[in-house]
Structures are given as structure tokens and as C-alpha cells.
Amino acid sequence: MATIDDVAKSAGVSKSTVSNVFSQKRPISKEISERVLEAARELNYKPNYWARSLANKETRIIGLNMEGDKVKFGQFRMTLLNGVLKECYNQGYRLLVNTLPKHFTNRLENWSSDPVDGEILLDPMVRDPRIEERVAGGIPIVVIGRPPESHESTVSYVSSDNVGAGRLVTEYLIGLGHRNILFLNAPEYRTVSHERFDGYRKALEMAELPVESSLVVYRDKVFGSSEEYGYIMAKRLLSENPSITAIITDTDKVACGVYQAAEELKLVIPRDLSVFAFSLETSYGTQLQPPVSSMRLNGELLGSEAAKMLLNLCASKTPIIKRVIIPWELIHRESCGPVKVVQ
Amino acid sequence: MATIDDVAKSAGVSKSTVSNVFSQKRPISKEISERVLEAARELNYKPNYWARSLANKETRIIGLNMEGDKVKFGQFRMTLLNGVLKECYNQGYRLLVNTLPKHFTNRLENWSSDPVDGEILLDPMVRDPRIEERVAGGIPIVVIGRPPESHESTVSYVSSDNVGAGRLVTEYLIGLGHRNILFLNAPEYRTVSHERFDGYRKALEMAELPVESSLVVYRDKVFGSSEEYGYIMAKRLLSENPSITAIITDTDKVACGVYQAAEELKLVIPRDLSVFAFSLETSYGTQLQPPVSSMRLNGELLGSEAAKMLLNLCASKTPIIKRVIIPWELIHRESCGPVKVVQ
DNA sequence: CTGTTAGCGCCTTCAG
DNA sequence: CTGAAGGCGCTAACAG
């Protein structure tokens, strides 16, 4: 690969002239400029990205950091990704998907700074070392979802109103006459599960209903898949506690497990059991019989807003903490109905 | 941000010692090593990724390059992405999604090498400058899909058997009695549309049926969306030529437009019209009434195989051209049926 | 096992 | 408008 020196020599000019022909940072006479370009073309020269980044101290790359080792996109993350990409596209940035497993980054020889100007963090956790590291290193970040309380006022983020969502759903089910609503929540270490629980709790309190701790379950690591989580917990809890008439799940995959459990227990949805899923990760949501009611989260907007904020942060260097809440919408399908009247 | 020099000074050793403590490229005594690590921790030092890349001539980043300016993931691309990510994860590589619009890269000041060790190219075109550039620059690439003929034997690729798929689908429809099968193909500049057409043609020839050029349409740029393409072309051609009893489409989005046209023309699917879609990009495929028959393409395997090949290429430096064909599966749903018997 | 000296390829002063 | 010299932060080759 030809370097700037080769081109300079070949065109009979100095390195800095070549550099400026490309960077356009200072005017170069048309003749010389063309001579340089011609030489570059012949040598198949392109400025080296890393060398340029090193000197410029900027990469024009932003990172997308997904929590955990499972780096896998579902429906929701995909729309989110599309939003981020759209904004990258608009502003001439590239996107780096961070996929390094911990057992890799933990090794000393792989320990290094990240090759990005800033990062978008997904799925914030109640204790999130990712945030602390980046704050310490002065790397601009934007979180998608609510950051842990310790950083809520120091970190920019874009999120849905998860408390409101949890509350609305619960109120909706209460309105249908449900009194024992099982909540198959996301893992406890994620902030979102607490937000949704807060909403759930508020709705129950407003309705003067008790909050049974046995009805609130957080996903545990023991479950190999979301379906398994939904299936096992639904089967167990519905058997133990037949008064449960509605289940709120984290995703449609969990709901899928719930459906299976319901079928085995001869419970008909929505006649005997109402089911609601917060987010749709697959096409299960609409394929299930009956299709499961859910939230529409507008991932694309979450993504593009996050990217916009991050790129502003990268550019301005006067870090302005912002918070953006993206509205959701409750989608009524056919999985929730009035509670069965006991005869 | 602290540099290697700061750490060296603070620990009272030389730069190269610090370097080697981190890179582990040569043994450093335990005492010194710990002293260095201690100093690094205090200064919050991390090796600079770009500087390291520059010296090492490797980034441990691979690129995912999508043709065109539309950088957007649908269902199929997402599974493909997941496959790529899985392999990146296994081998400690990061993934860079290339999203730079042409009007950006065309500007001289943005012209530069790509910050990756190698690249996966999606949606190869009949004339594909991306391939030529990278071959000229000596950047390892793997194409997903069949490369243009000019490079078929010089470039590694992983693909589905699109000719076979086109053929099988067409034979299937012929077997159902269809004789006038409209093919709403992908854009002509993409190699995949030619492969599928080849299969379509072969099937017709085997059945000794004529290949009507008016029944083979390539998507044109004038269409703003896939749905529009399907809708407009189906409406026009079904009106002009009522003998058409089956339509093969590129994706479920195109099929969605076809469904709408059929409805307006009072054609019932599959009674009056059979519809088949090659790939499923959205949840339309299964949500449409009736659900549309399609190919299951195994995007995850395509992606992971491509990544595996690329990482091999990056490592070995003795470029071995490989070709991998990933099998597909025909999924029968309810959109194809026997041709209506004329009474 | 550790230190010294050159680069990697580009950009950025500062002279001219 | 152009050239020369030095630096970005790290690694590599060669001494010791």
C-alpha cells in the first residue's frame, strides 16, 4: 500500500502538500493539486485511516454496546439499530458493533481503549460498570433506557416511559377485572425491570389492591431461553395459584412459553387467562394464537435520537446532559379479555 | 488521557517494558509487571487502539458493507448479522457497519482506506466496483451471494443456491398447473436476480413452456418501496394479461403489494392467484392473509460462514478462494394452490 | 529480562 | 501558496 511519502515523491512535492490536497485544510494550487491526485491514482494511494485517526484524535466511528455476552439482535433491537444507522448515515459516521466477550477483554493483551469517538449503551443495568468506565475515561456516551440512579443526572439518555407503560398495562388489566396479575419481568439487574415494576405497583396501589411479591418474578440466569422462562414460571405459578387470571411478560418470546403452559393446563387465552407482552422480539407476537397484545416502542426513533444526541456530544465538547422520552402505544390484539365470571 | 510514556515514567521503566507488560509479547518479571500495572491503574491508562493498530497493521475489526445508500436491516439481514456477530464474538473481532453515503465518501476530504482488516460484502451486483476496489487494495473480502462472473473464481463467497431455488419454486408452480407465471424479480443490477431467473427459465424449459419476456420484471428505481413495486406491477400486468395465475416475488414486502392489487382486482389468493415470495423481510410474510409461501434461507449460517471465511483469510495471508453454498428450504404456507379449472 | 532507537502514516506547527 | 521538522501513541529491532 502506497503511503503519503510515495505520493509526495512521485508528484515532486512535500508530504504536507499531499496531506493538504486530501484534507483540504488549506488551499493548494490547482496545478499541484492535480499533479498530486494523478500520482495518487497511479499508486493507488488512499490516506490511511488509523494514522489519520491517531493524528486527528477522532475516528468518526461510534460504538453500539450491548450488555452481556449474547450480542444478538431481535426485532426491537433491529429497529433501534436502523434508527442509529440512519443518523450515522446522515452525518457521515460509521457504526461499530461491540461484540467482544468478557473472557476476551479481560485478558491483559486485549485491554485497550475503544476505537470510537463515543458510544451508545443498550440495556442499562442497576450497577453498570460500562457507564463508570466511560465516564472515567471521558468518552461521550448516550444510554438507551434509564441509567442507574447513580448516573441518572450525569448521563444523557433516551428512553421510553417504562414506568408509565407498566402502569397503563396494569390499569388496563385491572379494568378488565383482573385482580391477581402475574408479572414475568426482565432480569432484576436491568433498570427497565424496576421501572416497569414501579408502574405495576402504582397501578395496584391506585386501585387499592395488594402487591403480592409472589406475583412478581424476575428472570433468572438459570433459564436457557425466554420461552423456557415463560413456560416454566407460568406452569409452576399457575398451578400453585389458580387465582392468577392475567400475566404480563417482558417479551413475546416469554409470552410464547406462557401460551404453551396455558395450553397444557387447559387454560384458554383470553377466556381463562389474559397475556400481555411489553416488547415484540420476533414474529411470534403476531403469529401466536391469539396474537398477543403489546407495546409498540418505536425503536427507530429511540435509535436515531440516541445517535443524534451522541453525535452532538462528540462535536460540541461541552457535554450537555439531555433526556429524551419517546412515546409508546398500547396495541390491543386478542390476548387480553375480561376476567372470567365465577359462577 | 495518560499515554504509555506517562506510565513508563511513573513506574520508572522504559516504554517498551510497559508495552510488553500489556501486549505480553515478551516476558516481564513479576515485580516490574506489577509496578507497571499499578502505575497504569493510578493514571487510568489504556493502550490507545489507533496507535496500536497503526503500529501493528491490524485492527481486529471487520466490516459489513451493504450495497446502496439504504443501509437498513430487515428480517433476513438481521439473521445474517447475527451470524456474523456470533463469529466475531468467538474470535474476538469487532464489527463495523459501513454506512457512509456516496455523497460523503465521494468528497475528497473523506476519501481514505477503510478502518478494517477485511470486509463482508452484501448484495453483490453484476458490476460491482466495491469488489474491484478491494481486490486492487488487497483487502480480504468475502461476498454473501454470487459475485459477478468477472470475479466468481477470484473471490470467496457464501451463497444460497439461488438458481436451484428459482427452479424449484417454478417447478412447484408448474406442478400446480400454472402456465403463466409472473416473476417480480429483484433489480437487474443485482446478481441474485439473474440466478433466480436462470432457475425460472430452466424450469420452464424443462416443462417445454415458453419464457415470456413480458412475464419477467426487474425492480426499477422508480418505485419508492417494495410494496409499491408489487402493487403497481401486479395491478398493471394482471389487468393486461388475465391469464397470469401465479406470481413469484422477491420479498414478502413485494408480495404485500401484490396482495393488495389482487384484492382490488377481486382475485382471491390462492384460488385465483398463487403468490410466492423468496425471502421474508418483515413479519408481513406470516401476517398476510393467507400467509405467503416462501424460502427459508438460513441467514444466520450464511453470516457465520462468511465471517469464518473472512477471519481465516485475514489470519492466513495465503488467500484461499472458497465457495460455500448454504441450503434453503421451501416453506409451504397457504398462498399457492392449484390453478383454477376453467369451466 | 530490560532499555534505546527507529519507525508506523499522517497532521501540524512554523518558516519561507 | 509550499516545505521542513516534529509529534500523535505504540511496537519492533537491536543492544545489553
Side-chain angles (χ1 to χ4, degrees), chain B residues 23-212:
Chain B
S23 70
Q24 314 251 293
K25 292 200 179 166
R26 68 186 193 192
I28 300 288
S29 70
K30 202 164 172 93
E31 303 167 81
I32 293 206
S33 184
E34 294 199 335
R35 188 142 47 93
V36 168
L37 255 16
E38 179 55 28
R41 198 170 309 120
E42 273 180 11
L43 295 170
N44 194 18
Y45 166 78
K46 291 182 180 189
N48 180 303
Y49 202 94
W50 322 314
R52 194 176 251 188
S53 293
L54 181 59
N56 279 336
K57 297 178 169 314
E58 88 163 355
T59 62
R60 298 192 70 84
I61 297 176
I62 61 172
L64 183 67
N65 187 296
M66 301 157 82
E67 188 280 310
D69 274 1
K70 49 185 182 256
V71 286
K72 187 157 183 174
F73 285 85
Q75 201 69 44
F76 174 64
R77 282 183 173 178
M78 181 183 76
T79 57
L80 214 141
L81 173 68
N82 281 332
V84 173
L85 289 176
K86 194 175 101 191
E87 200 54 35
C88 285
Y89 173 84
N90 287 339
Q91 304 199 31
Y93 270 74
R94 292 169 159 102
L95 182 75
L96 186 70
V97 181
N98 208 315
T99 56
L100 302 188
K102 288 202 188 61
H103 64 78
F104 182 88
T105 47
N106 281 345
R107 299 177 61 178
L108 195 53
E109 67 260 42
N110 299 318
W111 170 259
S112 77
S113 67
D114 280 326
V116 296
D117 293 342
E119 238 175 337
I120 295 176
L121 267 42
L122 261 45
D123 301 326
M125 300 178 285
V126 175
R127 260 213 65 250
D128 204 324
R130 297 176 300 169
I131 299 181
E132 284 150 28
E133 273 173 37
R134 279 151 189 84
V135 168
I139 316 272
I141 56 172
V142 169
V143 174
I144 295 189
R146 189 174 62 64
E149 280 180 35
S150 52
H151 289 91
E152 180 156 6
S153 52
T154 57
V155 156
S156 286
Y157 69 94
V158 30
S159 176
S160 301
D161 174 15
N162 293 313
V163 177
R167 179 164 171 176
L168 183 65
V169 170
T170 312
E171 285 174 349
Y172 166 57
L173 291 170
I174 292 172
L176 289 171
H178 298 280
R179 291 298 172 263
N180 293 287
I181 304 171
L182 172 61
F183 190 1
L184 296 183
N185 209 336
E188 191 160 14
Y189 60 80
R190 291 183 45 194
T191 63
V192 68
S193 64
H194 296 199
E195 294 187 279
R196 286 178 180 158
F197 170 70
D198 277 353
Y200 169 86
R201 187 172 42 72
K202 276 185 191 156
L204 290 175
E205 284 171 357
M206 292 299 287
E208 300 187 342
L209 291 168
V211 179
E212 294 285 350

Side-chain angles (χ1 to χ4, degrees), chain A residues 21-187:
Chain A
V21 166
F22 282 96
S23 71
Q24 314 250 293
K25 293 202 179 164
R26 70 186 190 191
I28 301 286
S29 69
K30 203 163 171 93
E31 304 167 79
I32 293 204
S33 183
E34 295 199 336
R35 188 140 50 92
V36 168
L37 254 17
E38 179 54 29
R41 199 170 307 121
E42 274 181 11
L43 295 170
N44 194 17
Y45 166 79
K46 291 182 180 189
N48 179 303
Y49 202 96
W50 323 313
R52 196 176 248 188
S53 295
L54 181 58
N56 282 336
K57 299 178 170 312
E58 89 164 349
T59 62
R60 297 193 70 83
I61 296 175
I62 61 172
L64 183 66
N65 187 296
M66 299 157 83
E67 188 280 310
D69 275 0
K70 52 183 180 256
V71 286
K72 188 159 185 175
F73 285 85
Q75 201 69 44
F76 174 64
R77 281 182 174 178
M78 180 182 77
T79 59
L80 215 141
L81 172 68
N82 281 332
V84 174
L85 289 176
K86 193 174 102 192
E87 201 53 34
C88 285
Y89 173 85
N90 287 339
Q91 303 200 31
Y93 270 74
R94 292 169 159 102
L95 182 75
L96 187 71
V97 181
N98 208 316
T99 56
L100 301 188
K102 288 205 187 57
H103 63 79
F104 182 88
T105 48
N106 281 346
R107 298 179 59 179
L108 195 53
E109 66 262 42
N110 300 317
W111 170 259
S112 77
S113 68
D114 280 327
V116 296
D117 293 342
E119 239 174 337
I120 294 176
L121 267 43
L122 261 45
D123 300 326
M125 300 178 285
V126 174
R127 258 214 66 249
D128 204 324
R130 297 176 300 168
I131 299 181
E132 283 150 28
E133 271 173 36
R134 280 150 187 86
V135 169
I139 315 271
I141 56 170
V142 169
V143 174
I144 294 188
R146 188 173 62 64
E149 281 180 36
S150 51
H151 289 91
E152 181 157 4
S153 51
T154 57
V155 157
S156 286
Y157 70 94
V158 30
S159 177
S160 301
D161 173 16
N162 293 312
V163 177
R167 179 164 171 177
L168 184 66
V169 170
T170 311
E171 283 173 350
Y172 166 59
L173 291 170
I174 292 173
L176 288 171
H178 298 280
R179 292 297 173 266
N180 293 286
I181 304 170
L182 173 60
F183 190 1
L184 296 183
N185 209 339

Side-chain angles (χ1 to χ4, degrees), chain A residues 206-221:
Chain A
M206 290 298 287
E208 299 187 342
L209 292 168
V211 180
E212 294 284 350
S213 67
S214 68
L215 291 183
V216 179
V217 178
Y218 293 89
R219 176 166 175 179
D220 196 276
K221 286 185 246 287

Side-chain angles (χ1 to χ4, degrees), chain B residues 4 15-16 19 45 48 52:
Chain B
I4 199 172
K15 297 200 315 176
S16 66
S19 172
Y45 166 78
N48 180 303
R52 194 176 251 188

